[in-house]
Amino acid sequence: MTRTLVFTDMDGTLLDHHTYSFEAAKPALTALESRDIPVIPTTSKTFAELQPLREQIGLNGPFIIENGAAIFIPHGFFKKKPSGTVWVDGYWCKSFISNKNYWIKLLDKIKADFEGEFKQFSQMSLEEIQSSTGLDEASAALAAKRQFGEPVLWTGSDENKQKFIAAVKERGAYPLEGGRFIHVSGNCDKGQALKWLAAEYQRQHECHVKTVALGDGKNDIAMLEAAHIAIRILSPVNPPPSVKKDEVYTSTLHGPEGWNEMLTQLLSL
């Protein structure tokens, strides 16, 4: 028996890049639910940000936060305790990297070399977070509650941006460029998290698992490459990410419209 798991980026993929609406994806979401196919948010968002979103969309399974830093699995999703997890805020949590403070200290060491060229998320006001993300005040407050990595809003030149990325790499970080921010964190990515959860699902259910991944940005590449089926969702602001895989599907529509388009096609195969 084969079970399917759908791993999805949120901003610009399941959620509209400009409005954060998921309305257009509802038909595919309903179809997936009727077939008992879990939809697993796999996002740069925080634990706090995902809670109201999961409720609004009607997703009650596992979720992956902060670009693969940790997986949270609701009690009862698996019959047995997932391996290597600890109990955190009502979920089984599997974390892959050090907490936020570790990365803040690392950035402190190179700050003088890039004076005035970047803003750290943890030091931005709510107004600054709002203006750089387009989030409303309540959502911006949730975005600020990071547990693992530290996003950096780059304001300097492209040339110095590459020097900055090299500098944090030299100190052991694994920077990831998202749609708006450079995420400074450890050796984690959405692909590693996908593989871990798929393997745990296979172990617990004693079945074969087929993984489908949908994303629109550079920080989705590892997830798309790790999945059995990779789907790039067209973005109104960025070109499709370059994915090293023999077969990659690309939507013709943007965001949730493209999400609905591709999963509707996939489910009808």
Side-chain angles (χ1 to χ4, degrees):
M1 185 180 164
T2 300
R3 298 217 184 184
T4 301
L5 303 177
V6 173
F7 293 80
T8 181
D9 175 49
M10 299 300 279
D11 292 357
T13 300
L14 179 53
L15 305 176
D16 183 273
H17 179 83
H18 299 294
T19 66
Y20 294 104
S21 168
F22 66 94
E23 193 67 32
K26 279 184 176 175
L29 283 165
T30 302
L32 289 162
E33 188 181 8
S34 71
R35 295 188 189 201
D36 200 23
I37 297 173
V39 174
I40 299 152
T42 308
T43 177
S44 61
K45 288 185 181 298
T46 63
F47 177 92
E49 281 178 283
L50 264 185
Q51 296 319 304
L53 265 177
R54 287 171 66 243
E55 204 169 301
Q56 284 165 29
I57 300 167
L59 303 176
N60 53 18
F63 52 97
I64 296 165
I65 64 159
E66 296 189 36
N67 287 315
I71 303 171
F72 286 85
I73 302 160
H75 183 64
F77 183 79
F78 290 130
K79 285 179 182 167
K80 293 175 274 194
K81 174 185 178 287
S83 59
T85 59
V86 293
W87 188 248
V88 178
D89 293 332
Y91 295 88
W92 294 114
C93 173
K94 167 69 178 172
S95 61
F96 295 90
I97 62 163
S98 303
N99 69 21
K100 177 177 76 172
N101 291 337
Y102 180 90
W103 308 107
I104 289 173
K105 283 174 188 165
L106 183 150
L107 285 167
D108 285 344
K109 290 172 187 168
I110 63 164
K111 200 172 271 183
D113 298 333
F114 301 96
E115 195 62 52
E117 294 200 274
F118 68 86
K119 285 182 180 176
Q120 283 176 234
F121 206 76
S122 61
Q123 293 169 2
M124 290 167 73
S125 67
L126 277 187
E127 290 77 14
E128 286 175 313
I129 292 172
Q130 282 180 258
S131 67
S132 60
T133 60
L135 295 169
D136 60 41
E137 190 178 345
S139 302
L142 296 176
K145 292 181 179 178
R146 302 196 78 77
Q147 295 162 281
F148 297 96
E150 171 75 331
V152 164
L153 184 65
W154 186 258
T155 54
S157 68
D158 276 352
E159 186 187 349
N160 280 356
K161 181 185 187 180
Q162 297 315 312
K163 288 178 184 172
F164 170 82
I165 287 170
V168 293
K169 277 182 179 174
E170 275 170 28
R171 285 160 178 80
Y174 287 74
L176 251 184
E177 285 188 70
R180 296 174 173 95
F181 291 88
I182 301 167
H183 295 264
V184 177
S185 70
N187 186 10
C188 69
D189 58 48
K190 294 179 177 186
Q192 281 182 52
L194 175 150
K195 285 178 182 172
W196 185 91
L197 188 57
E200 185 64 20
Y201 196 95
Q202 195 158 300
R203 186 178 78 84
Q204 296 248 8
H205 286 275
E206 297 178 347
C207 65
H208 289 294
V209 169
K210 183 166 77 174
T211 54
V212 179
L214 303 97
D216 74 318
K218 285 183 184 175
N219 61 340
D220 298 315
I221 292 172
M223 171 178 74
L224 294 167
E225 290 179 348
H228 294 112
I229 298 171
I231 300 173
R232 299 185 301 189
I233 301 300
L234 271 196
S235 164
V237 292
N238 300 312
S242 179
V243 177
K244 290 178 185 143
K245 207 171 172 67
D246 289 340
E247 197 167 29
V248 182
Y249 299 94
T250 307
S251 69
T252 64
L253 303 171
H254 293 155
E257 286 88 356
W259 199 92
N260 192 71
E261 168 200 15
M262 298 310 290
L263 283 170
T264 301
Q265 282 178 26
L266 197 67
L267 289 169
S268 67
L269 294 177

